[in-house]
Amino acid sequence: MAINEKMLEEILNKYPAKVKRNRKKHILIRDSALETQEIEANTRTIPGIVTNRGCAFAGCKGVVLGPLKDMVHIVHGPIGCAYYSWLTRRNKARADEPKKNFLAYCVSTDMQESDIVFGGEKKLARMIDEVVEIFKPNAITISATCPVGLIGDDIQAVAKAARAKHGLNITAYSCEGYKGVSQSAGHHIANNGLMENIIGEGDWEEPPSKYTINILGEYNIGGDSWEVERILNEIGYEVQAVMTGNGSYEKLKNAHVAQLNLVQCHRSINYIATMLETKYGTPWLKVNFIGIRATIESLRNMARYFGDEALIKRTEEVIEKELAEIEPQLEPYRKICSGKTAFCFVGGSRGHHYQGLYEELGVTTVLAGYEFAHRDDYEGRDVLPNIKADADSKNIPDLHVTPDERRYRLKIPAERMEELKQEIPLSNYKGMIDDMTDGSIVVDDLNHYETEEFIRILKPDIFSSGIKDKYIPQKMGIPTKQLHNYDYSGPYAGFRGAVNFARDVAMGFATPTWNFIMPPWKNQPLLEGTVEDCTANTCVEEVAT
Amino acid sequence: MLDCTPKELIKRTGGGINPAKTCQPIGAMYAALGIHNCMPHSHGSQGCCAYHRSHLTRHFREPVMATTSSFTEGASVFGGGGNLKTAIKNVFAIYNPDVIAVHTTCLSETIGDDIPTIIKGAEIPEGKLVIHANTPSYQGSHITGFSNMVKGMVAYLAEATTDEKKEQVNIIPGFVNPGDMREIKRLAGKMGVRFIMFPDTSGVLDSPMTGKFEMFPAGGAKVEDIRDSGNSKLTIALGYYASSDAAHLLERNCRVPALTLKTPVGIKATDDFLMTLRGKFVREIPYELEEERGQLVDVMTDNHHHFYGKKVAIFGDPDILTGLTEFVLSLGMHPLHVLTGTPGGILTGSGIFEKEIKAMLAAAGLEGRVKAAGDLFELHQWIKNEPVDLLLGNTYGKYIARAEDIPFVRVGFPILDRGIHSYLPIVGYRGAMRLVEMIGNALLDRKDRDAADEDFELVL
């Protein structure tokens, strides 16, 4: 069943008036006949709403910084924030050098009441000393939690002093949880910090190979980045830095030499992508390695950017070989999945990316949304000039970069760049809405009440979101698929990842466990047999014996 | 695995590495879920609520509903009163619980939001309740947060309304799984004692699959029962750290005598629990429980050769550790390292935790390291210096177990990498029998794995 405006209104009527006015702007029914469809995004969640959103700390330390493996990430604050962001995101990493993968370590200043009262700067400085002594990391980050900003601990000054003392890249991120309106603020803070303090710190002036690229906004969840790199290496690309899955300080500091930056998750990393273009003249290409068609298109667009015939030919050869490998494997899963419908609600890019992969399995996405994206992730970057800054977004300053006098190079001629922009998503992203079919629902910051209502009306066959809402549809008998952490499976990216995804989704539909929800006694009368015409006494007697 | 952890112990003062605790609010959220028809509310940034819900969901594999005040920078500067009032209004309007249980966070505590005053100024529909607990993340641990929320339940709800105390017992189960709470209720039920358990997450965080989602499942302690706890003749607080504060508050407020017992993990602690009910309520232990106990002693004796003299490292929450340590001692094992992240004196210092465990070791004529307010980095270093045959603790222990190649049994909170555990008890005689099986299997799987072909045996 499709949802019309009237039904939408009825759903919203349950809300108090203020909430209704607010939420109405975050939901739309896709209609391609309209020239533009505006959605409100990246604004405050109303207090008291069961939201999936997290905070700036989660976006900064948890998402962007956390996966960098050869650095120790110190969390300055009470114990919780470090603890919850410890090993919970499935950003996999392999050490490049012995004893230089610190992801299994959770380092917190574990602030106590006295630290809140008297300040925690000294304790933080001691923790840095201890980390240097014990771990000898390649670099250190310090992330702030809520109380740090409130009590006025100057973590930037502590980092600066420690940098001088230890001769090590030590940087601080003021990503207190209350900043901004979601994780998104933290992405921005982390992007600024990495750009300002790490990228370009290396002394490389030239790329190590002809086709050197960075992959931005790829976090190697379940090994996604390894599958993407496998394909790219086979074609002949050299991946310099991945930001930040399986990433490292050592790779990141020379990321400026790449000839092209790929952007997988636009939301979390677009700041670095645009700053790299301004500073070093490196364009970025919006790619999507989730889904077979999307992967093929991304590979072809990359080849077209470099414009080398041999590379284009090699790209096609690899695509052909990969397809031959996976197509037969996919077939049985397609049979199970075909004709089904899905909800697809994820953070800031996967709500879009997984729709194509679902479609390839024959699953139609009837509702999609993002937890913490901005309007440009829905409507495309053309809308950027129209987005008004508000009090919350103004709190996260933009970092103004200028062309690097020594290192700025046009990677391709300006004319060719303009031509290419017409053909491929070069330094551009057109957003989710454009790809959605008419009548489907787009919801920003989908909350619990709306989840229940939309499920009631649309009855999806599978609900794909995260851990907090996973077991809600499941109690209703609807299969779920976590798209934040893949239900501890993966990789889902690239060609082989598509097969893993198909297998896992099909498993969700096919598991026999759904058949047992209704106990057999619910549909059967307690007494079987025919009712005889008899006096009450004799019947009771019969039952009793 | 964890190959940057050196063997040499280093004195550290900058904080913790690989914690064996987390912050107060998650404990408060868990406790609040043990009230029927209650929405836990996190007064802080959205991230706190998101982290706690995610973490509890991973442990229980159940929906965990909770709301947040969604602080922004403005609220952090000017106070979160407006946010909390808006939240209270919206939660009742949209989700319609009977109770909202507010807990604070390090953010709202640092700025000094006065929760009772804010609640007084909030729009609360007729017949609905808002209770609260202060749970600053920079004191204690998740266990302290649990304790504080249970205190909040007593402070807001419990009333002494009868002249004479009723023949009923209050049982505060502590930070244990719903499966444990069910087992404690079963034991009390078998004793024929009328009881009020609060909080009670059974039926909430182990709810059945019915094809229907219930935002507020059938389980949980009912508000009227928590009110009536003020009329009981005794409160049994199971676990000093998670439960005794609330019991003492109830004693002060409603003159219900408080008695703190160990969380009934293992044979001795279960004996103590049942003997207390027997003595206070003059009820003989029914044969069914005596039979269960006899079976437990039977399996402990039948299999003692698998356990005796084995060295164990145990970490986790203090109340569980007290029972666990006592129980591995009952099996003839040697608890060589015992560590909790929770500060021993609830807020600071080593307190009674270290004293109690050390006394147990001394009584058994054994020596071992015991520490409150420790971390897993240190525990790992201890193990490197003095190896053990078995590690007992929550999921985070698997990294140490792998690094040192030690058999590992998952017990406590959180267990994130295995399912079902939250349904099955570790308390009571049956829970103890389950522990014997889990520990025995882990030790014997290792024996089988390591045995040379000629030593590999059919019968063990």
Side-chain angles (χ1 to χ4, degrees):
Chain A
M1 187 193 239
I3 285 186
N4 57 35
E5 294 290 347
K6 191 167 155 268
M7 293 157 89
L8 202 56
E9 192 72 15
E10 277 165 19
I11 293 174
L12 296 170
N13 277 342
K14 166 95 184 269
Y15 283 134
K18 266 191 191 166
V19 180
K20 182 183 168 183
R21 273 200 302 281
N22 175 298
R23 287 304 303 160
K24 204 176 166 158
K25 292 180 254 174
H26 293 266
I27 306 172
L28 63 82
I29 302 170
R30 173 69 180 137
D31 182 356
S32 58
L34 298 169
E35 199 172 322
T36 56
Q37 281 193 287
E38 190 178 321
I39 191 161
E40 193 156 285
N42 193 37
T43 57
R44 296 176 186 181
T45 299
I46 301 165
I49 297 292
V50 178
T51 173
N52 277 6
R53 280 179 164 181
C55 65
F57 169 84
C60 179
K61 192 271 176 178
V63 173
V64 180
L65 302 179
L68 292 163
K69 63 193 173 188
D70 60 345
M71 311 167 81
V72 169
H73 305 290
I74 298 175
V75 177
H76 186 38
I79 197 68
C81 307
Y83 173 87
Y84 301 113
S85 56
W86 176 28
L87 296 168
T88 45
R89 187 156 162 262
R90 304 199 67 233
N91 42 272
K92 297 191 174 204
R94 275 186 213 117
D96 294 331
E97 316 160 56
K99 295 196 177 189
K100 292 284 175 160
N101 177 359
F102 304 108
L103 297 197
Y105 291 96
C106 168
V107 182
S108 166
T109 52
D110 189 9
M111 288 175 97
Q112 300 299 305
E113 186 160 25
S114 59
D115 304 316
I116 300 291
V117 175
F118 301 111
E121 291 178 10
K122 284 185 182 138
K123 194 174 192 186
L124 174 61
R126 289 201 301 275
M127 182 49 105
I128 296 169
D129 293 347
E130 288 165 11
V131 161
V132 173
E133 189 195 336
I134 296 168
F135 297 110
K136 301 169 186 65
N138 291 342
I140 294 172
T141 69
I142 300 152
S143 293
T145 67
C146 289
V148 170
L150 299 172
I151 64 170
D153 269 5
D154 188 348
I155 58 169
Q156 303 294 342
V158 176
K160 198 176 163 195
R163 207 172 172 138
K165 179 175 177 184
H166 296 292
L168 204 61
N169 189 304
I170 300 171
T171 52
Y173 299 79
S174 300
C175 55
E176 285 84 353
Y178 54 75
K179 291 198 170 157
V181 299
S182 69
Q183 292 94 312
S184 178
H187 303 148
H188 195 165
I189 292 164
N191 275 228
N192 287 353
L194 294 180
M195 192 66 199
E196 202 167 17
N197 302 303
I198 296 179
I199 299 168
E201 288 286 289
D203 53 10
W204 292 9
E205 297 301 332
E206 295 302 326
S209 88
K210 213 168 151 190
Y211 309 119
T212 301
I213 54 158
N214 297 317
I215 310 177
L216 279 63
E218 167 51 61
Y219 300 100
N220 201 29
I221 308 301
D224 272 356
S225 179
W226 290 329
E227 166 65 1
V228 172
E229 285 174 75
R230 179 187 70 80
I231 301 164
L232 295 180
N233 291 339
E234 202 149 321
I235 293 173
Y237 292 102
E238 165 111 12
V239 178
Q240 169 56 30
V242 181
M243 297 178 205
T244 50
N246 191 36
S248 66
Y249 170 76
E250 285 305 311
K251 298 269 190 180
L252 202 55
K253 68 181 186 188
N254 283 314
H256 58 277
V257 299
Q259 286 133 317
L260 177 67
N261 292 313
L262 308 183
V263 170
Q264 173 72 17
C265 173
H266 174 260
R267 179 69 266 132
S268 62
I269 212 88
N270 75 89
Y271 316 94
I272 288 180
T274 52
M275 286 188 278
L276 284 174
E277 184 160 14
T278 308
K279 192 168 179 182
Y280 302 109
T282 321
W284 58 273
L285 179 70
K286 178 69 187 81
V287 292
N288 176 15
F289 290 110
I290 299 296
I292 303 156
R293 275 199 294 270
T295 299
I296 292 173
E297 193 184 319
S298 298
L299 296 175
R300 286 182 177 151
N301 289 345
M302 288 172 68
R304 198 181 290 186
Y305 168 82
F306 284 102
D308 180 324
E309 281 309 319
L311 188 73
I312 292 169
K313 186 162 169 276
R314 181 71 192 139
T315 300
E316 293 303 326
E317 283 167 7
V318 169
I319 291 171
E320 196 178 333
K321 187 181 116 249
E322 295 286 333
L323 283 179
E325 181 189 314
I326 64 161
E327 280 298 337
Q329 297 179 46
L330 280 169
E331 242 359 85
Y333 304 130
R334 280 199 179 115
K335 284 197 184 103
I336 296 171
C337 298
S338 183
K340 302 258 194 302
T341 58
F343 280 15
C344 199
F345 180 75
V346 208
S349 68
R350 294 184 214 182
H352 181 194
H353 290 159
Y354 274 82
Q355 293 185 35
L357 181 50
Y358 265 134
E359 198 186 323
E360 284 160 344
L361 300 177
V363 179
T364 309
T365 302
V366 292
L367 179 146
Y370 295 127
E371 187 178 312
F372 47 70
H374 299 198
R375 278 182 63 195
D376 41 318
D377 303 295
Y378 290 101
E379 301 172 51
R381 284 182 73 91
D382 292 347
V383 80
L384 281 173
N386 306 331
I387 299 177
K388 288 189 209 85
D390 61 12
D392 299 311
S393 54
K394 276 183 200 155
N395 285 337
I396 317 300
D398 279 319
L399 184 66
H400 289 286
V401 294
T402 50
D404 185 299
E405 283 177 25
R406 194 158 48 87
R407 286 169 164 174
Y408 184 92
R409 286 179 192 57
L410 270 185
K411 302 298 186 287
I412 51 171
E415 232 170 74
R416 176 71 188 135
M417 179 82 184
E418 285 313 307
E419 269 173 37
L420 275 171
K421 277 187 173 177
Q422 304 305 313
E423 301 165 15
I424 61 176
L426 200 57
S427 303
N428 195 19
Y429 175 44
K430 66 181 171 47
M432 171 205 277
I433 292 178
D434 195 51
D435 274 347
M436 293 196 62
T437 52
D438 281 351
S440 55
I441 308 293
V442 183
V443 193
D444 176 64
D445 188 17
L446 178 72
N447 61 50
H448 172 76
Y449 166 70
E450 290 160 13
T451 299
E452 275 205 68
E453 289 298 296
F454 284 122
I455 287 178
R456 183 175 58 79
I457 297 169
L458 292 170
K459 299 183 173 54
D461 296 303
I462 188 164
F463 180 90
S464 31
S465 180
I467 185 67
K468 293 187 284 293
D469 44 3
K470 175 180 177 67
Y471 296 102
I472 293 161
Q474 215 163 274
K475 286 277 185 215
M476 304 174 188
I478 298 168
T480 58
K481 182 77 234 158
Q482 290 185 67
L483 288 185
H484 289 269
N485 74 9
Y486 304 166
D487 290 301
Y488 327 105
S489 180
Y492 286 167
F495 295 106
R496 293 179 186 170
V499 178
N500 292 337
F501 182 73
R503 179 199 62 214
D504 291 352
V505 168
M507 178 165 68
F509 291 132
T511 175
T513 61
W514 302 117
N515 301 326
F516 301 105
I517 295 175
M518 186 62 74
W521 51 85
K522 288 283 179 195
N523 293 325
Q524 252 179 51
L526 182 59
L527 287 173
E528 289 204 55
T530 51
V531 179
E532 282 174 40
D533 186 18
C534 59
T535 65
N537 279 346
T538 58
C539 284
V540 167
E541 236 172 58
E542 273 169 28
V543 171
T545 53
Chain B
M1 190 51 57
L2 296 179
D3 49 8
C4 309
T5 305
K7 188 176 173 187
E8 309 74 52
L9 295 167
I10 306 153
K11 188 171 163 47
R12 289 179 284 127
T13 60
I17 304 176
N18 295 1
K21 65 167 179 185
T22 181
C23 63
Q24 282 207 46
I26 194 172
M29 185 182 282
Y30 178 54
L33 287 162
I35 303 176
H36 182 62
N37 264 344
C38 174
M39 180 68 92
H41 181 85
S42 165
H43 187 52
S45 294
Q46 269 160 198
C48 309
C49 188
Y51 274 144
H52 303 147
R53 289 181 63 211
S54 298
H55 209 66
L56 291 171
T57 305
R58 288 180 182 123
H59 176 81
F60 294 107
R61 302 183 190 223
E62 288 290 309
V64 172
M65 306 311 295
T67 49
T68 165
S69 290
S70 294
F71 267 66
T72 57
E73 190 146 3
S76 307
V77 174
F78 301 111
N83 288 47
L84 184 51
K85 285 179 193 165
T86 306
I88 289 171
K89 186 181 168 198
N90 287 332
V91 170
F92 282 126
I94 302 166
Y95 308 110
N96 195 30
D98 291 341
V99 191
I100 297 175
V102 180
H103 62 261
T104 57
T105 56
C106 47
L107 196 177
S108 51
E109 286 290 335
T110 302
I111 64 173
D113 271 355
D114 179 5
I115 308 297
T117 307
I118 299 169
I119 293 174
K120 275 195 194 106
E123 277 178 54
I124 302 172
E126 186 71 30
K128 303 283 183 182
L129 292 165
V130 180
I131 67 172
H132 100 283
N134 290 94
T135 51
S137 319
Y138 44 75
Q139 290 179 341
S141 75
H142 55 297
I143 299 301
T144 323
F146 182 93
S147 167
N148 283 337
M149 181 50 84
V150 186
K151 259 168 75 185
M153 294 174 198
V154 169
Y156 277 88
L157 303 174
E159 288 173 349
T161 54
T162 56
D163 293 337
E164 279 200 26
K165 294 297 179 195
K166 297 182 185 175
E167 271 298 299
Q168 64 188 25
V169 62
N170 303 322
I171 302 175
I172 304 176
F175 197 129
V176 291
N177 281 324
D180 296 312
M181 296 188 189
R182 273 182 201 274
E183 181 64 5
I184 294 165
K185 288 196 290 185
R186 190 183 71 89
L187 294 174
K190 290 277 175 225
M191 291 295 293
V193 178
R194 194 184 128 68
F195 61 86
I196 294 169
M197 178 182 278
F198 68 94
D200 179 4
T201 58
S202 67
V204 180
L205 289 167
D206 60 356
S207 71
M209 171 85 101
T210 59
K212 196 163 176 270
F213 167 74
E214 302 283 355
M215 182 148 206
F216 304 107
K222 299 218 163 49
V223 168
E224 60 262 33
D225 288 338
I226 305 177
R227 275 198 213 287
D228 194 36
S229 69
N231 297 322
S232 300
K233 80 168 204 184
L234 176 71
T235 302
I236 297 180
L238 294 174
Y240 172 81
Y241 288 89
S243 305
S244 64
D245 275 8
H248 286 120
L249 185 65
L250 197 48
E251 187 170 81
R252 271 206 303 283
N253 290 0
C254 304
R255 301 176 322 280
V256 180
L259 186 64
T260 302
L261 298 178
K262 284 194 282 282
T263 306
V265 175
I267 188 160
K268 280 170 110 172
T270 306
D271 285 349
D272 289 349
F273 175 59
L274 293 181
M275 286 301 279
T276 302
L277 290 178
R278 180 180 181 268
K280 299 284 180 184
F281 291 88
V282 199
R283 297 280 200 286
E284 199 43 271
I285 310 279
Y287 175 69
E288 201 178 335
L289 295 182
E290 192 173 312
E291 186 184 40
E292 278 175 26
R293 187 181 186 280
Q295 289 175 325
L296 173 62
V297 179
D298 195 66
V299 300
M300 287 167 70
T301 311
D302 290 349
N303 300 289
H304 71 273
H305 57 293
H306 298 150
F307 303 100
Y308 193 86
K310 291 279 192 295
K311 294 191 184 82
V312 198
I314 318 175
F315 72 94
D317 298 334
D319 295 335
I320 304 282
L321 289 196
T322 311
L324 262 183
T325 305
E326 190 175 67
F327 188 50
V328 299
L329 283 166
S330 309
L331 284 165
M333 301 175 91
H334 179 180
L336 194 59
H337 312 302
V338 183
L339 179 141
T340 181
T342 297
I346 299 198
L347 300 185
T348 51
S350 60
I352 69 150
F353 173 78
E354 292 186 8
K355 220 168 106 188
E356 201 167 1
I357 304 277
K358 278 178 185 159
M360 284 180 192
L361 288 170
L366 297 169
E367 284 187 4
R369 295 187 208 235
V370 184
K371 187 169 185 180
D375 60 28
L376 297 186
F377 186 83
E378 185 168 13
L379 178 72
H380 189 180
Q381 291 190 306
W382 289 356
I383 292 172
K384 278 181 183 290
N385 285 283
E386 287 181 82
V388 290
D389 302 302
L390 177 74
L391 178 64
L392 283 177
N394 66 37
T395 284
Y396 293 97
K398 76 193 265 182
Y399 289 82
I400 297 175
R402 183 176 163 105
E404 304 303 324
D405 197 19
I406 318 167
F408 174 47
V409 171
R410 288 162 180 79
V411 188
F413 175 87
I415 295 176
L416 309 171
D417 60 338
R418 299 287 189 273
I420 310 140
H421 54 85
S422 56
Y423 292 78
L424 303 173
I426 58 164
V427 299
Y429 301 128
R430 285 189 179 172
M433 203 186 276
R434 183 167 165 250
L435 284 172
V436 175
E437 187 182 24
M438 290 195 297
I439 294 171
N441 288 351
L443 293 172
L444 295 175
D445 282 348
R446 168 57 52 96
K447 188 181 168 82
D448 280 343
R449 192 198 81 178
D450 291 350
D453 277 359
E454 59 273 27
D455 296 325
F456 190 67
E457 297 190 48
L458 181 70
V459 185
L460 287 170

